[in-house]
């Protein structure tokens, strides 16, 4: 069981979850980008804590509103801030997670939604 009051345990869980979602999306990560992806996610503890207060609850209905080509601003109007877990010159990966562990992962390419995945949404 994850202790939400333990930021290190919570952050480690987030890193594992994000990697699983990214791999399930079939994201093509070169070894350098993969390392940066993990390092960025692991080192985002403070960002995660501040972002958690800005996250609203969301479900399958909000997930279905996300469409290819949407901007980050448009996605945030539906899901709020989210957590940026990776960024390269052309690609950014954001994760939104509910308190129950359900989540949405979105990949932006050239600042437009390229793909999305969800886990355990109701």
């Amino acid at each position: 069981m994850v202790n939400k009051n333990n930021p290190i345990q919570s952050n480690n869980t987030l890193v594992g979850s994000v990697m699983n979602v990214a791999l399930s999306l079939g994201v093509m990560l070169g070894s350098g980008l993969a390392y940066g992806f993990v390092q960025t996610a692991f080192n985002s503890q403070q960002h995660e804590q501040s972002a958690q207060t800005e996250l609203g609850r969301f479900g399958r209905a909000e997930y279905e509103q996300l469409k290819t080509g949407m901007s980050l601003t448009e996605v945030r109007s539906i899901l709020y801030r989210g957590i940026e877990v990776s960024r390269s010159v052309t690609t950014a990966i954001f994760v939104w997670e509910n308190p129950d562990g359900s989540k949405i992962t979105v990949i932006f390419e050239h600042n437009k939604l390229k793909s999305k995945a969800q886990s355990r949404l109701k």
Side-chain angles (χ1 to χ4, degrees):
M1 175 178 245
V2 174
N3 180 352
K4 294 287 184 183
N5 295 323
N6 182 341
I8 294 172
Q9 184 180 10
S10 176
N11 200 35
N12 287 339
T13 301
L14 175 67
V15 171
S17 298
V18 168
M19 283 302 294
N20 287 337
V21 171
L23 292 173
S24 71
L25 281 172
V27 176
M28 295 182 293
L29 297 172
S31 62
L33 182 57
Y35 172 76
F37 175 75
V38 173
Q39 185 179 30
T40 301
F42 186 76
N43 291 329
S44 67
Q45 177 181 350
Q46 287 182 331
H47 184 73
E48 175 190 1
Q49 289 172 341
S50 65
Q52 286 295 332
T53 60
E54 297 181 45
L55 294 177
R57 291 184 183 260
F58 52 85
R60 189 168 296 275
E62 288 76 18
Y63 176 78
E64 295 301 330
Q65 291 178 42
L66 305 178
K67 304 296 181 199
T68 302
M70 291 178 93
S71 69
L72 176 57
T73 301
E74 291 171 313
V75 171
R76 283 181 168 163
S77 73
I78 298 167
L79 298 176
Y80 306 100
R81 186 166 173 78
I83 300 169
E84 182 178 290
V85 295
S86 176
R87 180 171 291 275
S88 71
V89 174
T90 59
T91 305
I93 301 174
F94 282 78
V95 174
W96 288 263
E97 186 171 2
N98 281 320
D100 68 358
S102 60
K103 66 186 86 189
I104 295 174
T105 302
V106 176
I107 298 176
F108 292 90
E109 190 169 276
H110 301 289
N111 299 315
K112 298 293 180 184
L113 192 152
K114 178 182 178 185
S115 62
K116 64 181 184 175
Q118 62 87 19
S119 173
R120 299 175 25 202
L121 289 181
K122 298 174 185 168

